[in-house]
Amino acid sequence: MILLQSHSRFLLQTLLNRVQNLEKAIELDHHWVEFDDVRFHVQVSMKNPHILQLSLSLPTPPLETVFVGGLPFGAIEAIKAAYGVTVQILDPPRDGFNLTLKLNLSKLPQDEEHRHTLLVKIASVREVVLGAPLRVILKHLASRTVAPDMNQFVALVHRPNESFFLVPQAEKVTVIFPMRFKDSIDTILATSFLQEFMESRRTAGLSNAPPCLWSQSPPLELKGATDNALSANAGFVTFVIFPRHVEGRKLDRTVWNLSTFHAYVNYHVKCSEGFMHSRMRRRVESLIQALNCAKPDQEKTKKTPHTRSFKRLSLKDSRTNSSS
Amino acid sequence: MANPLKLYLTCVRNTLEAALCLQNFPCQEVERHNKPEVELKTSPELLLNPVLICRNEAEKCLIETSINSLRISLKVKQADELENILAKKFLRFLSMRAEAFQVLRRKPVQGYDISFLITNYHCEEMQKQKLIDFIVQFMEDIDKEISELKMSVSTRGRLVASEFLKQFL
């Protein structure tokens, strides 16, 4: 799986399970974290087995981002637009969470296909809520206007205490991600990945994709932002989004891809490290085998009292030796 | 650039063949102790001159011999940041498994990336020629492995980037 999908698989599975077993009332109370920044909580109590409560906790916004009523701007409208009357927003949300939704499982559409689509949309609640401000700006781009009372650049949160920047204009939107990683190895691997973004954009098939740039220093569009926002140990990635990237169905995909860009790069950096580990392990095995060849022949047809038996060394043996 | 590599490895191989003449030698200072003299360096009459073989400023190989033990230290080529961390990761991975390798030293000598310690006991258990083959093979393998790791990182990066950008088309 190279790309991250917009619906949370665990949530979708839980919802589908519940809907299929509506008669068997089971207590549900799950907490989980997605991509290291968003926390989810789902609860079904025995008293009302048809009511499912879904709570969402968003990453803490840094100083330059503004949350209205605990949610990014445009989030409540987006939720109402996406889910209609099937989902109710509970106010105030559950303690420790930014948003709580109440879903009545018995009131879902009877049609199998519609129900499935709605459940997938509910499982993509992260995309709807966190991506709401981005969606507003990009929708304006599709109609080639700029949203009213928009600053020169807008800061949106995507990770705890970190935000990315948008410079909305009538004919294009420039999206700038300052990339930060905690581990130094992650930083170096991510830097080489991000430089590849620039390289692969130049290939012929991708000339319609948004132009992307990587630079170590903050780009000019961010002049005037706070110094804290401008420190990034893996450089700055700039995408220029044109109206053709947000027409019709592409809007959802663009919103999802941009809001989980950092999670995407992080995921692939970790996969890369895992792959390197298994490669190194294989290489170690082959080197040890080469070393074992240096020992004299161990196959003896007759075991006489004068033959010494040699123990073939392998990693498993050495582990047991060191632990005993 | 295969030719300089071959010359370098041949030079290392010849030096090892000359240096790998180890015999058992109990410790002179302490009774009933048998220590690798190259590590302690207490008695100058038991040590031979160390040999430093340089391929270029970045890659070199130091071979120190004594009467009962031999120490080989290697410095691996690290062209840029990425190769630097890949080499460090890989060599640390190997050094932590030094027990399985027997002849590997857990910590590299100061100024080098990885070190081997071969004692007379190893020479008794293993054939000398094959041991030298192993060391030379090891040196070749490290270089190959690091360049392959680097290539896998850039290939993956390219794939990740093109998949991401294709989403926008």
Side-chain angles (χ1 to χ4, degrees):
Chain A
M1 186 185 78
I2 299 185
L3 298 162
L4 300 174
Q5 292 167 319
S6 61
H7 55 266
S8 154
R9 289 163 88 106
F10 179 65
L11 185 52
L12 183 62
Q13 205 64 33
T14 318
L15 288 171
L16 286 172
N17 269 340
R18 278 276 71 224
V19 165
Q20 271 152 13
N21 306 330
L22 212 50
E23 302 75 36
K24 299 184 227 155
I26 317 171
E27 183 101 15
L28 259 190
D29 194 347
H30 296 308
H31 269 107
W32 72 96
V33 178
E34 191 182 59
F35 304 153
D36 206 24
D37 44 21
V38 170
R39 262 189 314 135
F40 287 91
H41 177 244
V42 78
Q43 186 173 33
V44 173
S45 67
M46 293 300 282
K47 297 180 289 189
N48 307 326
H50 293 263
I51 307 283
L52 185 132
Q53 266 195 15
L54 176 63
S55 305
L56 199 65
S57 166
L58 302 171
T60 350
L63 295 165
E64 57 268 3
T65 318
V66 159
F67 264 15
V68 173
L71 291 173
F73 74 81
I76 308 225
E77 290 81 29
I79 296 175
K80 294 214 176 85
Y83 302 132
V85 291
T86 359
V87 163
Q88 233 187 331
I89 303 179
L90 289 179
D91 192 23
R94 201 188 159 86
D95 203 11
F97 290 88
N98 293 70
L99 174 73
T100 304
L101 300 172
K102 194 164 94 166
L103 176 66
N104 195 333
L105 293 170
S106 47
K107 297 241 179 69
L108 293 176
Q110 290 302 331
D111 181 24
E112 185 73 44
E113 220 183 277
H114 275 154
R115 194 166 58 200
H116 191 85
T117 325
L118 183 64
L119 288 179
V120 168
K121 201 92 179 91
I122 292 179
S124 319
V125 63
R126 180 210 165 110
E127 181 198 344
V128 171
V129 173
L130 257 191
L134 187 57
R135 193 175 243 279
V136 164
I137 296 178
L138 291 179
K139 220 163 181 174
H140 280 278
L141 177 67
S143 53
R144 286 168 178 75
T145 55
V146 183
D149 65 63
M150 198 111 293
N151 300 330
Q152 205 246 312
F153 56 78
V154 182
L156 297 177
V157 69
H158 68 353
R159 298 192 79 234
N161 280 324
E162 285 178 35
S163 55
F164 65 102
F165 300 94
L166 292 162
V167 181
Q169 285 164 314
E171 66 288 343
K172 63 178 183 178
V173 172
T174 313
V175 188
I176 304 168
F177 290 93
M179 305 294 283
R180 292 180 197 108
F181 291 89
K182 288 209 193 83
D183 191 26
S184 60
I185 297 183
D186 281 359
T187 315
I188 298 174
L189 282 175
T191 314
S192 88
F193 275 14
L194 296 172
Q195 281 166 332
E196 285 294 335
F197 269 87
M198 257 202 317
E199 304 284 327
S200 57
R201 169 69 181 54
R202 291 197 214 127
T203 65
L206 294 172
S207 49
N208 269 339
C212 62
L213 293 165
W214 178 84
S215 68
Q216 189 63 45
S217 55
L220 296 163
E221 288 94 340
L222 287 185
K223 235 193 310 211
T226 59
D227 283 331
N228 204 3
L230 292 183
S231 66
N233 54 8
F236 294 83
V237 181
T238 313
F239 288 100
V240 183
I241 311 284
F242 292 110
R244 63 170 182 268
H245 299 130
V246 292
E247 301 169 332
R249 302 202 62 107
K250 290 197 218 160
L251 178 63
D252 284 341
R253 259 204 323 218
T254 307
V255 165
W256 173 251
N257 284 325
L258 288 177
S259 50
T260 49
F261 179 65
H262 191 280
Y264 180 70
V265 175
N266 206 9
Y267 163 62
H268 280 286
V269 163
K270 298 293 182 197
C271 280
S272 205
E273 287 185 2
F275 175 71
M276 284 200 282
H277 251 273
S278 24
R279 248 199 102 95
M280 291 197 281
R281 243 177 261 138
R282 249 182 292 148
R283 181 62 78 168
V284 163
E285 287 283 344
S286 77
L287 283 173
I288 290 185
Q289 267 183 340
L291 190 59
N292 283 332
C293 290
K295 298 197 168 63
D297 260 49
Q298 301 179 11
E299 277 92 313
K300 298 268 192 251
T301 44
K302 277 189 305 173
K303 258 204 176 255
T304 69
H306 301 292
T307 45
R308 288 185 290 163
S309 55
F310 296 93
K311 201 164 126 195
R312 228 173 226 271
L313 269 168
S314 71
L315 274 179
K316 297 189 214 61
D317 287 347
S318 73
R319 276 205 202 104
T320 50
N321 281 340
S322 55
S323 65
S324 59
Chain B
M1 292 296 272
N3 241 343
L5 177 66
K6 266 206 128 18
L7 289 174
Y8 176 58
L9 293 176
T10 321
C11 186
V12 170
R13 182 188 284 273
N14 291 337
T15 318
L16 282 178
E17 274 176 11
L20 211 63
C21 304
L22 309 175
Q23 61 187 60
N24 190 12
F25 193 84
C27 183
Q28 291 185 128
E29 275 96 33
V30 185
E31 252 184 52
R32 301 209 275 180
H33 274 210
N34 197 323
K35 309 175 194 174
E37 293 296 332
V38 77
E39 294 283 350
L40 302 172
K41 296 196 164 77
T42 42
S43 319
E45 72 269 15
L46 301 173
L47 304 171
L48 277 79
N49 283 334
V51 176
L52 182 64
I53 305 169
C54 293
R55 188 176 169 197
N56 45 47
E57 295 91 29
E59 282 183 78
K60 48 189 179 171
C61 169
L62 176 68
I63 300 179
E64 302 160 282
T65 329
S66 70
I67 187 159
N68 63 356
S69 44
L70 167 71
R71 193 161 68 178
I72 308 164
S73 308
L74 300 171
K75 184 146 184 68
V76 175
K77 169 178 68 128
Q78 286 154 30
D80 56 17
E81 273 294 319
L82 186 58
E83 268 188 31
N84 204 348
I85 56 150
L86 289 176
K88 240 185 6 194
K89 226 171 148 60
F90 184 52
L91 294 174
R92 229 195 69 186
F93 194 86
L94 290 174
S95 307
M96 298 227 287
R97 285 154 181 78
E99 191 113 349
F101 278 101
Q102 282 192 305
V103 292
L104 203 61
R105 201 169 179 260
R106 266 190 198 279
K107 272 183 81 98
V109 170
Q110 186 79 300
Y112 292 85
D113 293 324
I114 192 163
S115 298
F116 293 87
L117 178 67
I118 306 180
T119 60
N120 55 296
Y121 297 112
H122 296 144
C123 290
E124 285 165 25
E125 281 177 22
M126 305 186 236
Q127 293 177 16
K128 176 174 155 177
Q129 275 306 320
K130 298 244 172 93
L131 200 50
I132 296 177
D133 282 344
F134 171 73
I135 304 269
V136 171
Q137 178 73 30
F138 190 93
M139 290 169 71
E140 260 184 289
D141 274 352
I142 297 186
D143 276 337
K144 226 184 340 187
E145 187 68 26
I146 292 179
S147 54
E148 274 175 23
L149 282 175
K150 185 168 177 195
M151 203 163 60
S152 82
V153 167
S154 55
T155 317
R156 183 182 278 266
R158 207 163 304 139
L159 187 61
V160 161
S162 54
E163 278 304 314
F164 185 77
L165 291 174
K166 261 197 266 198
Q167 285 287 297
F168 290 97
L169 291 176

